[in-house]
Amino acid sequence: MQTLTPHVYWAQRHGEIYLRVEISDAQNLTIGVEENILHFKGQGHGAKGENEYEFNLEFLKTVKPEVKHKSTQRQVNITVKKQEHVWWDRLTKQEKKPLFLAPDFDRWLDESDAEMELREKEEKINKVSIESRVRKDPFLGLKKGFLFMYNLVQFLGYSWIFVNMTVRLFILGQDSFYDTFHTIADVMYFCQMLAIMEVINPAVGLVKTGVTPAFIQVMGRNFILFVIFGTLEDMQNKPVVFFVFYLWSMIEIFRYPFYMLACIDTEWKLLTWLRYTIWIPLYPLGVLAEAVAVIQSIPIFNETKLLSIPLPKAIGMSISFSYILQLYLVIMFLGLFINFRHLFKQRSRRFRTKKRKAN
């Protein structure tokens, strides 16, 4: 049987050399390193058919004598560890590359890419090491289950509101603007009272979001719902109620299912994009609609003296609630700025992380 040289492909990392020998169904393999020279000998089907193949490679720098190899039906994979974790300019001591040797482009990395891969491996090892030392939360499953159910209930509630209002808009047209409160208010009351959990959850550590942005949004909405719409019958028939409720529900039908899926470690790319993008036009429009509702309520509070603050009889007057509403308008737009900045940071961080993972 004729002895021939097989095709050999190589790649490297800082600590290892990878060789791929193109011999299928290899048998009687003899592979070892002596005096920094790799000796390979074996029988199998290579470039010249069924023959005995062998080759020798003298490495550029010192390697460890232990050699790992694995034979498959298609090839023989060899791993040789370097004595030092350094990058080699070439594989062999001789400057002229052997004719049978070529780069393994399936595994090839340049030095900078290999360093990045090494850092990622170290980070993963460190993360696993830290996680193994950190005590696991025995109630994690229970917490995720609670958050999943909370987001599911809110999603169903706001979906009912959105679908109901959309259907009524198509059937009744502008007439649906005037009885929105009497049709939708009960479900909106339920959803917004339940939304107080979004302030409690980060406060007790159930979720890792800020308490302040959640407090601003939840309390701001509840002020509009319970104080402006709930206490003034004259406000309940105004079209602004429709626009406030509709804008709120449009935001939430994307936000809650996103959080719901996050509880089960699932992500839909389109839903993620919608959750972090659709609020950009809708959130300011929602605040604008709320501001219109506050402005429209001011004359009603002045006329009815409802919720006015009485002063001592000697003064003989009271502080109209409208002054508080005017102050609230300023606070509302300040809250818009704070929440907008928080949401933009959240959006940028989310897509920056996804881009880094993709690369």
Side-chain angles (χ1 to χ4, degrees):
M1 185 179 288
Q2 186 181 4
T3 301
L4 301 168
T5 303
H7 292 307
V8 180
Y9 300 90
W10 78 284
Q12 67 168 317
R13 299 296 185 267
H14 284 82
E16 293 176 325
I17 297 293
Y18 304 117
L19 299 171
R20 174 164 56 88
V21 185
E22 290 291 294
I23 298 179
S24 59
D25 299 320
Q27 298 176 354
N28 303 324
L29 291 174
T30 304
I31 305 172
V33 173
E34 293 181 8
E35 297 181 357
N36 217 46
I37 300 174
L38 175 70
H39 303 281
F40 176 94
K41 189 174 183 179
Q43 295 177 356
H45 191 89
K48 299 294 183 180
E50 190 72 28
N51 277 295
E52 187 174 274
Y53 293 87
E54 67 175 297
F55 67 88
N56 298 313
L57 283 175
E58 185 174 4
F59 292 114
L60 176 66
K61 297 183 181 180
T62 308
V63 297
K64 295 181 179 179
E66 300 84 11
V67 177
K68 292 182 180 179
H69 67 88
K70 182 178 181 181
S71 178
T72 69
Q73 289 184 341
R74 297 179 57 189
Q75 62 202 28
V76 179
N77 297 313
I78 302 172
T79 302
V80 181
K81 291 188 177 295
K82 298 178 181 178
Q83 193 71 42
E84 297 179 0
H85 281 63
V86 293
W87 195 257
W88 293 2
D89 295 330
R90 60 181 186 272
L91 179 64
T92 58
K93 190 172 183 179
Q94 64 184 72
E95 292 188 14
K96 187 177 180 181
K97 180 178 68 68
L99 295 176
F100 63 87
L101 186 65
D104 185 351
F105 290 108
D106 290 337
R107 304 193 69 169
W108 192 266
L109 292 177
D110 59 28
E111 185 174 3
S112 59
D113 290 337
E115 287 176 353
M116 186 178 296
E117 183 187 69
L118 184 62
R119 282 198 300 270
E120 288 175 354
K121 285 183 179 179
E122 289 174 349
E123 288 173 1
K124 188 177 291 186
I125 292 170
N126 291 336
K127 183 179 179 181
V128 171
S129 178
I130 292 170
E131 288 177 350
S132 64
R133 291 197 299 267
V134 174
R135 184 182 176 185
K136 292 185 177 180
D137 187 353
F139 302 107
L140 182 61
L142 189 62
K143 291 176 181 177
K144 283 190 172 184
F146 166 76
L147 291 173
F148 180 88
M149 291 305 301
Y150 166 77
N151 287 294
L152 175 61
V153 170
Q154 289 288 61
F155 169 62
L156 294 175
Y158 278 105
S159 295
W160 183 90
I161 292 171
F162 178 77
V163 171
N164 189 297
M165 292 180 69
T166 302
V167 171
R168 287 173 55 81
L169 179 63
F170 277 105
I171 295 174
L172 303 176
Q174 293 185 7
D175 291 341
S176 66
F177 292 172
Y178 301 99
D179 64 348
T180 297
F181 185 85
H182 302 289
T183 308
I184 304 297
D186 288 341
V187 180
M188 186 62 80
Y189 277 140
F190 172 80
C191 290
Q192 280 305 127
M193 289 176 65
L194 192 61
I196 295 173
M197 291 303 302
E198 294 183 30
V199 181
I200 298 173
N201 288 341
V204 299
L206 271 178
V207 294
K208 296 179 180 180
T209 55
V211 176
T212 303
F215 180 85
I216 292 172
Q217 178 171 315
V218 172
M219 295 308 160
R221 284 188 180 183
N222 283 348
F223 181 83
I224 297 296
L225 178 61
F226 289 96
V227 178
I228 304 300
F229 296 152
T231 61
L232 297 177
E233 289 187 12
D234 291 345
M235 286 296 300
Q236 294 172 6
N237 297 321
K238 291 185 179 293
V240 70
V241 178
F242 175 90
F243 293 103
V244 169
F245 284 5
Y246 205 62
L247 288 165
W248 286 357
S249 63
M250 284 181 70
I251 293 174
E252 304 304 11
I253 60 174
F254 297 110
R255 189 168 71 96
Y256 283 117
F258 170 80
Y259 288 133
M260 185 174 68
L261 292 178
C263 293
I264 55 175
D265 300 320
T266 302
E267 180 181 3
W268 294 348
K269 291 183 179 179
L270 178 59
L271 182 61
T272 300
W273 184 85
L274 287 169
R275 183 265 176 271
Y276 285 103
T277 305
I278 202 167
W279 63 266
I280 296 175
L282 295 183
Y283 185 60
L285 287 173
V287 173
L288 183 62
E290 293 172 23
V292 170
V294 171
I295 293 169
Q296 290 182 350
S297 71
I298 288 176
I300 302 173
F301 278 110
N302 281 335
E303 182 181 345
T304 60
K305 304 296 182 182
L306 189 66
L307 300 180
S308 295
I309 302 173
L311 295 176
K313 291 183 178 180
I315 300 177
M317 60 180 295
S318 60
I319 298 176
S320 175
F321 189 68
S322 63
Y323 294 123
I324 296 175
L325 292 179
Q326 292 170 36
L327 177 62
Y328 178 76
L329 283 172
V330 177
I331 296 172
M332 179 187 294
F333 285 100
L334 179 62
L336 171 64
F337 171 76
I338 293 172
N339 259 3
F340 216 74
R341 190 174 69 168
H342 168 75
L343 289 170
F344 254 115
K345 284 183 178 178
Q346 200 176 46
R347 184 179 189 273
S348 300
R349 187 165 56 247
R350 177 76 185 189
F351 287 113
R352 191 165 54 244
T353 302
K354 286 176 69 66
K355 186 177 180 181
R356 189 164 56 244
K357 286 181 179 179
N359 292 334

